[in-house]
Amino acid sequence: MIIGIDLGTTNSLCAYYGDEGARVIPNRLGKPLTPSVVSIDGQGLVLVGETAREYGLMHPDRTASVFKRFMGTDKKYMLGGRAYHAEELSAFVLRALKEDAQAYLNEEITEAVISVPAYFDDKRRKATKRAGELAGLKVERIISEPTAAAIAYGLYEKKSSTRFLVFDLGGGTFDVSILELFENILEVRAVAGDNYLGGEDFTELLVNEFLEKNNIPEDALSLRELGRLHKEAEAAKRAFSDSDEVSIAFSYNNENKELHISLKDYETLCEPLLEKIRRPVQRSLSDAHIRLSEIDEVVLVGGATRLSTVHNFIVKLFRKFPDTSINPDEAVALGTAVQAAMKERNEAVKEVILTDVCSFTLGTEVSVERADGSYEPGHFMPIIDRNTVIQTSSTQRVRTLYDNQERIRVNILQGESRFADNNLLLGSMTVNVPKNAAGEEAVDITYIYDINSLLEVEVKVVSTGDVKKQVIKGKSNDMSEAEVSRRMEELSYLKIHPRDREENRLLLLKGERMYEECTGNTRMKLDFRLRRFEEALSSHEHEQIEDARRRLKEQLEEIEKSGNK
Ligand code: AMP
């Protein structure tokens, strides 16, 4: 079976297509979401998900999160003395999801469809694919998250002929996409977004407000303290769903510090972030040449759309209530499962043809003429505009600038800035041209962008007909197959903490943290329960383990409820 995976910034999840349609696969803890958090513990075991998040509260230096933001970049994370790229950390998450899916479905899983933000460029898509390979998964297809969400809403719900706006605010990224479903063609009309905006920013607002109101400089807190404060702020943010005022309590230098904040004040703090949401929405509409009133459905994706401030803003912005019939956390994963079923030619799903757009403008560097006739270099000339449906090709002619010029250099750029330097250089080519008077010689530059987001550049010298071609395969950090298998072998020495013992490990970690946080009698009672549980675990007696686990759980819940920390 091919499974579908939503590899998220904050949480990841997987789904499969079974007899009853697309279904989310619960992880070993019985939960649909696995936090995209990775730790390497003292014994060199890899922890993933909730256990890693819990471990991270005590060992932030051995824990990484939100690494999806740096997928496909050279950024390295040092965990337990070794460096990892974002794609390698993602591979650990994928490995855990794969193992949990195998246990749940009771079969070996070797293939997957993985989703990525529409805004991910080629380099990031390739890094995601490699993460899958490093996890031992053949990646059948990389699919854009909004496309997956639209598939979940459009096909799963058997709607036809609909214009969707998919509003996806996850933990760290924001994507807006406009898609049109007509019969069996799902066409992406436009995508826009912000790779540096997400639910975490809404949490940070509360962290900063807390520090400011209590006169605590941010750098006064240790990583561990910051982690704990962040956890409190996250809970407060979520509490706004049910109340008009929330509070954060946090002990700092043995003093209890607090923040009480009303929803109204929080909304004021959120204004600059909400303003940042507006821009990509407008840009996607204008790129798609669609008016707001022509959108049939606004579909919400990503956990941060649950935040009441964001939800209310969406209702006001679109002047309609969004469709929330599918859980915003699950829509993308369900869509990837439907796409996986299509790949398997499952007869229960109708085949759709997906068309995508290129998310960035592709162009070249040129000199432009000043009023006095001289030339100013460094300008960007677009060749393929962003949001053009792929596959596509387009040609622009560039002339020689001075007499007897012998060569023309073509810089291949991606981005939206007027200036070449501000855009990303993907590659360059140089062609020879016959000596001639300025402007008499020219080259035709053709960009061909295929369905897999591979760009082919063709430069033709107009006077001689000479042609030079180059396929742009992304940046140099592309690994060869041999490198992937070498790295895979290296990573396979790192054992994932046995997933079937996940719940016990999590409970122990939680207990240890709470032990540190509480005092007095509570602390002693907790110590007793922890010891009993450890003894039970080493006895390997099933009943004894169950009993000690239940008692420890009850004790932890009691402490959490009473707030004795
Ligand atoms: P995702 O990457 O889609 O899993 O989104 C995770 C983000 O959604 C995080 O920033 C969470 O804080 C946020 N989030 C999840 N549930 C809620 C909720 N009930 N209220 C507010 N924010 C939430």
Side-chain angles (χ1 to χ4, degrees):
M1 175 181 297
I2 310 178
I3 57 167
I5 300 180
D6 169 6
L7 182 65
T9 311
T10 345
N11 292 297
S12 297
L13 67 163
C14 58
Y16 74 108
Y17 200 91
D19 295 339
E20 288 160 13
R23 290 282 179 276
V24 167
I25 302 173
N27 65 18
R28 284 302 175 115
L29 302 169
K31 298 193 176 157
L33 303 182
T34 298
S36 308
V37 183
V38 172
S39 306
I40 312 275
D41 77 2
Q43 279 100 48
L45 279 184
V46 181
L47 306 176
V48 173
E50 208 175 325
T51 321
R53 193 166 60 190
E54 187 63 47
Y55 185 82
L57 287 172
M58 309 252 278
H59 306 277
D61 53 326
R62 290 182 156 271
T63 305
S65 60
V66 206
F67 36 82
K68 180 172 159 182
R69 277 189 174 173
F70 295 96
M71 195 73 124
T73 69
D74 289 333
K75 182 175 166 79
K76 290 205 172 100
Y77 293 81
M78 287 300 291
L79 300 187
R82 285 184 67 169
Y84 300 89
H85 277 122
E87 66 206 57
E88 292 168 338
L89 298 171
S90 302
F92 291 134
V93 175
L94 291 171
R95 217 154 96 181
L97 291 175
K98 175 185 154 180
E99 286 181 17
D100 288 1
Q102 289 182 159
Y104 183 79
L105 299 170
N106 212 3
E107 65 177 273
E108 204 191 341
I109 306 290
T110 52
E111 291 165 283
V113 169
I114 304 180
S115 60
V116 292
Y119 228 58
F120 259 25
D121 62 13
D122 184 46
K123 205 168 67 175
R124 288 162 182 252
R125 281 170 199 248
K126 286 217 182 79
T128 306
K129 193 158 183 232
R130 225 159 30 229
E133 286 162 14
L134 290 171
L137 286 167
K138 179 164 179 266
V139 182
E140 278 295 332
R141 178 155 189 164
I142 292 286
I143 174 175
S144 288
E145 287 164 10
T147 308
I151 288 180
Y153 271 95
L155 303 174
Y156 184 65
E157 303 247 297
K158 308 260 184 311
K159 285 181 191 150
S160 65
S161 188
T162 314
R163 275 183 179 153
F164 297 95
L165 184 142
V166 181
F167 185 103
D168 179 359
L169 191 62
T173 48
F174 174 49
D175 274 320
V176 195
S177 320
I178 295 174
L179 295 100
E180 192 162 5
L181 175 69
F182 183 71
E183 308 214 314
N184 68 336
I185 298 179
L186 183 64
E187 185 183 341
V188 179
R189 294 283 303 267
V191 296
D194 189 334
N195 270 338
Y196 297 93
L197 176 67
E200 294 311 300
D201 299 303
F202 288 83
T203 310
E204 278 310 306
L205 289 178
L206 286 172
V207 169
N208 294 338
E209 184 71 1
F210 176 89
L211 294 174
E212 202 179 309
K213 285 277 147 62
N214 286 292
N215 290 321
I216 306 174
E218 191 180 334
D219 50 13
L221 294 189
S222 68
L223 267 182
R224 256 171 89 162
E225 284 172 320
L226 259 180
R228 264 202 302 129
L229 178 58
H230 193 272
K231 190 166 182 261
E232 296 293 330
E234 170 75 31
K237 180 182 82 171
R238 289 179 187 224
F240 273 129
S241 305
D242 313 306
S243 66
D244 287 346
E245 181 162 324
V246 302
S247 46
I248 297 177
F250 182 74
S251 85
Y252 172 68
N253 278 348
N254 287 329
E255 261 183 73
N256 284 332
K257 303 277 187 190
E258 287 191 351
L259 172 77
H260 299 280
I261 176 164
S262 69
L263 181 57
K264 208 159 161 278
D265 288 344
Y266 180 58
E267 281 177 347
T268 312
L269 290 180
C270 291
E271 269 166 21
L273 292 181
L274 297 176
E275 218 27 64
K276 280 176 98 172
I277 285 177
R278 210 185 277 275
R279 259 176 275 145
V281 171
Q282 279 159 351
R283 200 173 98 175
S284 64
L285 286 166
S286 75
D287 282 2
H289 306 292
I290 287 181
R291 278 196 297 271
L292 200 104
S293 57
E294 291 170 325
I295 296 289
D296 301 309
E297 301 267 7
V298 175
V299 171
L300 300 190
V301 179
T305 56
R306 289 227 175 82
L307 190 65
S308 60
T309 315
V310 172
H311 196 273
N312 296 341
F313 179 75
I314 293 170
V315 174
K316 256 195 252 157
L317 187 66
F318 296 106
R319 289 180 225 112
K320 63 159 63 86
F321 286 98
D323 185 341
T324 48
S325 57
I326 299 182
N327 183 337
D329 292 326
E330 297 179 355
V332 171
L334 293 173
T336 58
V338 177
Q339 172 68 29
M342 280 178 213
K343 278 260 153 209
E344 287 177 321
R345 308 217 165 276
N346 185 323
E347 282 172 9
V349 285
K350 113 181 144 175
E351 185 87 28
V352 281
I353 299 158
L354 304 175
T355 69
D356 215 337
V357 291
C358 56
S359 18
F360 299 94
T361 301
L362 296 160
T364 192
E365 182 171 345
V366 289
S367 298
V368 293
E369 197 172 355
R370 296 191 185 99
D372 65 3
S374 64
Y375 285 95
E376 184 176 294
H379 280 256
F380 179 60
M381 179 173 75
I383 296 182
I384 295 179
D385 274 323
R386 65 164 189 262
N387 287 323
T388 304
V389 173
I390 51 178
Q391 93 201 57
T392 184
S393 78
S394 177
T395 305
Q396 288 283 353
R397 184 164 287 187
V398 172
R399 297 184 173 279
T400 47
L401 283 178
Y402 47 89
D403 292 345
N404 296 326
Q405 184 173 335
E406 286 179 82
R407 271 183 290 274
I408 293 183
R409 184 186 157 95
V410 177
N411 279 342
I412 302 147
L413 298 160
Q414 164 190 298
E416 310 304 325
S417 170
R418 281 174 59 221
F419 301 105
D421 268 0
N422 296 342
N423 292 327
L424 185 68
L425 182 67
L426 298 176
S428 73
M429 289 163 79
T430 305
V431 290
N432 295 326
V433 289
K435 285 186 185 174
N436 210 333
E440 287 301 312
E441 288 295 326
V443 289
D444 279 341
I445 307 170
T446 304
Y447 281 12
I448 305 152
Y449 204 57
D450 79 0
I451 194 79
N452 294 315
S453 306
L454 277 184
L455 173 66
E456 191 180 316
V457 179
E458 195 184 281
V459 184
K460 182 175 169 187
V461 181
V462 178
S463 63
T464 63
D466 286 351
V467 173
K468 206 169 174 182
K469 286 185 189 179
Q470 189 179 330
V471 177
I472 308 297
K473 282 203 186 134
K475 287 282 266 195
S476 56
N477 71 346
D478 258 9
M479 284 197 257
S480 66
E481 249 172 60
E483 282 170 316
V484 170
S485 31
R486 189 182 52 79
R487 193 63 181 148
M488 218 167 133
E489 204 163 291
E490 271 173 32
L491 293 181
S492 69
Y493 287 122
L494 286 164
K495 292 275 172 278
I496 290 212
H497 180 269
R499 300 288 294 164
D500 53 350
R501 279 182 251 142
E502 189 74 359
E503 191 184 356
N504 299 344
R505 181 77 198 254
L506 177 61
L507 217 54
L508 282 173
L509 285 170
K510 239 184 184 166
E512 279 163 28
R513 172 176 55 87
M514 285 201 184
Y515 177 90
E516 289 196 8
E517 287 172 13
C518 60
T519 51
N521 207 15
T522 318
R523 195 173 203 185
M524 273 158 65
K525 276 203 261 179
L526 180 56
D527 181 43
F528 176 74
R529 286 281 157 236
L530 277 168
R531 272 190 287 124
R532 280 285 174 277
F533 185 49
E534 280 164 344
E535 281 160 24
L537 285 176
S538 48
S539 78
H540 300 288
E541 293 283 338
H542 185 67
E543 265 175 41
Q544 199 181 334
I545 296 176
E546 284 297 307
D547 185 55
R549 177 163 48 208
R550 185 177 48 77
R551 285 167 192 266
L552 174 58
K553 255 185 170 167
E554 283 168 4
Q555 180 79 50
L556 293 176
E557 278 163 19
E558 198 179 302
I559 301 174
E560 249 172 1
K561 241 189 265 157
S562 73
N564 179 343
K565 287 193 210 156

